[in-house]
Amino acid sequence: MIWNQLPDLENIKNHLVNLHQQNQLPHAILFKGEDGSGALPLALGFVQYLYCDNPKNNLPCGECKSCKQTKNLFYPGFQLLIPKFSTSQKNENDDETNVTKVFLQSFSENIFISFDDLLNKLKGKNKQASISTQDIHTVIESVSYSAVGNKYNIIVIWKPELMLPAAANKLLKTLEEPPPQTLFLLVSSNPEELLPTIISRVQQINIPNYSEIDCIDYLINKFNTEPTTAQEISKICNGNLNKAIHILTNFDEYVELLNDFKEFARLSIKYDLNNIDKFISKFEDRGREYLKRFLEYSLDIFHYALLQNYNASHLIKSTQQEKEFISKFYLYAHESNIPKLYEIFNDAYHHAVRNANIRILLNDLFLRCNELLKKKPTTNVQN
């Protein structure tokens, strides 16, 4: 069962169980946590607990008929609402089934799945994911039926901030006057994008990121990771287990990103056209997804360089190799040029998402970074 797979978070589990046992469970709860945190598995694990016939030690038993059904996230009266891609009316049901099917498969492999992970699995789609008015109408219609026995009708909405305005207003009306024995569980990484009136009608629960120790233990116990590797990853994942898993499964690529950034910085400063051409050709062969990861990684390096400039190296969450590089690179990336570097790399990322030509994009970055990385700091911040 999902709660059994979740490291720690016992205080939040116990809080939810106590609310239920004391008949104080609100009709709507908002789980707030970044993508890849314990927010989604915690909410879905709570569903399993509520439907369990014989919970033990505040956990679903995993043996009763209800647990066998909810093991695959199925139960009469339960609905999981996930943003889907806009599509023609003719194919709408096929699209919804595809999104749900891919999610269930991915979640069974990694309970810390992020929404970006799901979008990447559905990479054949190029439209904006959202929750439509029809989606909300469907779930509202479903909860209009009486719940089975003493169980709840439960609706889990993942990424409710992606509701279209009309859909959000329609949900609000139901949250104001919900049917009996109905429970809404909203899981959001950007709750500030929700309507204030929706926020006012839910009980909010903050889901924290994990500690370094939690991450180390999880990687070792779940994936048989070498302790030294687990420790390295725990320093850079910032308590996000989904990120830790991604780094673990792509650790060689993570090391390669640092080497590529070193080469990019060196070539930018020297403006070595022959080797710049070879560098760009290498990225063309690797493809757009690697380019996007490189641009995101570069933004992290600039952030660490800024911390180094302000004598806050203790706040840098990076590997030892990265720290050694940043201890030298910060002389080239400082308060005088980092704001502009952030801007052009952010722009480059958005252009990459929109299928910009890789050669043109990187050539532009090299040209602009040549000027910026030679720029002298206006002040000596460390002094």
Side-chain angles (χ1 to χ4, degrees):
M1 305 306 285
I2 299 171
W3 270 12
N4 304 62
Q5 301 175 51
L6 269 175
D8 199 17
L9 301 180
E10 296 302 321
N11 58 331
I12 301 178
K13 294 178 191 175
N14 292 334
H15 173 66
L16 291 168
V17 169
N18 289 335
L19 287 175
H20 173 60
Q21 292 178 344
Q22 297 169 14
N23 294 318
Q24 295 179 350
L25 197 62
H27 66 273
I29 301 175
L30 173 63
F31 294 83
K32 301 189 300 182
E34 67 178 54
D35 269 355
S37 71
L40 181 62
L42 191 69
L44 293 174
F46 189 41
V47 172
Q48 292 180 329
Y49 168 82
L50 290 173
Y51 284 141
C52 177
D53 298 324
N54 303 297
K56 300 176 181 178
N57 300 320
N58 293 348
L59 294 171
C61 70
E63 301 170 354
C64 66
K65 181 179 178 181
S66 296
C67 280
K68 290 177 182 177
Q69 287 180 290
T70 59
K71 183 178 181 180
N72 296 316
L73 297 179
F74 170 81
Y75 197 82
F78 168 65
Q79 285 201 65
L80 174 62
L81 183 55
I82 304 172
K84 63 178 187 291
F85 299 97
S86 59
T87 184
S88 65
Q89 186 67 32
K90 179 180 179 181
N91 298 320
E92 185 170 353
N93 291 332
D94 292 340
D95 179 79
E96 182 174 3
T97 302
N98 185 40
V99 170
T100 304
K101 181 180 179 180
V102 172
F103 168 78
L104 292 174
Q105 176 61 39
S106 301
F107 186 79
S108 68
E109 298 167 357
N110 173 20
I111 63 172
F112 296 101
I113 181 175
S114 71
F115 192 64
D116 279 345
D117 291 336
L118 181 61
L119 294 184
N120 288 335
K121 297 273 187 180
L122 299 162
K123 57 187 177 182
K125 307 287 187 178
N126 292 315
K127 299 179 181 179
Q128 178 66 45
S130 62
I131 297 174
S132 69
T133 307
Q134 181 58 45
D135 295 328
I136 297 298
H137 174 77
T138 300
V139 298
I140 290 175
E141 188 176 37
S142 71
V143 300
S144 65
Y145 298 102
S146 298
V148 178
N150 62 347
K151 307 292 187 181
Y152 286 92
N153 283 327
I154 305 177
I155 297 91
V156 173
I157 305 178
W158 191 26
K159 303 294 286 186
E161 60 267 32
L162 296 182
M163 285 186 290
L164 297 174
N169 283 312
K170 193 171 186 68
L171 176 65
L172 176 60
K173 293 178 182 179
T174 303
L175 291 179
E176 289 173 340
E177 297 182 20
Q181 287 181 262
T182 298
L183 176 63
F184 285 90
L185 303 179
L186 280 60
V187 182
S188 175
S189 56
N190 296 291
E192 67 279 359
E193 296 179 14
L194 287 166
L195 291 175
T197 43
I198 287 181
I199 293 292
S200 68
R201 285 166 176 76
V202 300
Q203 184 174 116
Q204 301 181 50
I205 297 180
N206 290 310
I207 312 302
N209 279 353
Y210 285 101
S211 67
E212 283 191 18
I213 296 298
D214 287 331
C215 293
I216 292 170
D217 290 343
Y218 186 80
L219 292 173
I220 292 174
N221 296 329
K222 178 72 174 178
F223 299 98
N224 296 318
T225 309
E226 288 292 327
T228 52
T229 302
Q231 290 170 6
E232 281 282 277
I233 293 173
S234 71
K235 292 176 182 177
I236 54 182
C237 72
N238 200 30
N240 186 305
L241 283 177
N242 185 60
K243 183 177 180 181
I245 294 168
H246 276 276
I247 295 172
L248 175 64
T249 54
N250 300 280
F251 195 70
D252 290 341
E253 181 186 276
Y254 191 85
V255 174
E256 192 172 15
L257 284 169
L258 174 60
N259 293 331
D260 282 337
F261 185 86
K262 288 180 180 179
E263 186 179 4
F264 176 88
R266 179 179 61 81
L267 293 175
S268 294
I269 294 169
K270 292 186 175 181
Y271 207 64
D272 180 347
L273 288 174
N274 287 331
N275 285 315
I276 283 176
D277 185 71
K278 293 177 183 177
F279 183 95
I280 293 174
S281 295
K282 179 174 65 175
F283 268 67
E284 287 178 319
D285 291 338
R286 288 174 174 172
R288 191 171 306 279
E289 290 303 314
Y290 184 82
L291 171 62
K292 286 161 60 179
R293 288 192 288 275
F294 172 75
L295 295 171
E296 289 180 310
Y297 181 80
S298 301
L299 289 169
D300 286 338
I301 294 293
F302 294 139
H303 175 65
Y304 299 150
L306 191 60
L307 290 174
Q308 184 78 38
N309 269 279
Y310 281 91
N311 203 22
S313 57
H314 60 286
L315 298 176
I316 297 175
K317 304 290 185 180
S318 66
T319 64
Q320 188 59 38
Q321 283 181 305
E322 287 169 326
K323 286 183 178 179
E324 291 173 1
F325 170 69
I326 292 160
S327 68
K328 302 172 184 177
F329 178 68
Y330 84 95
L331 297 172
Y332 297 91
H334 39 74
E335 80 288 352
S336 297
N337 59 13
I338 282 182
K340 191 63 180 178
L341 287 167
Y342 262 112
E343 179 185 331
I344 64 174
F345 272 77
N346 265 314
D347 287 346
Y349 180 85
H350 291 302
H351 289 313
V353 170
R354 291 167 175 80
N355 297 321
N357 182 283
I358 293 175
R359 177 164 292 274
I360 294 174
L361 188 150
L362 284 174
N363 264 314
D364 181 65
L365 272 183
F366 274 114
L367 182 62
R368 299 173 77 178
C369 286
N370 171 255
E371 177 184 355
L372 287 169
L373 292 176
K374 289 181 177 179
K375 189 173 183 178
K376 301 297 182 182
T378 54
T379 59
N380 191 337
V381 177
Q382 287 218 352
N383 293 331

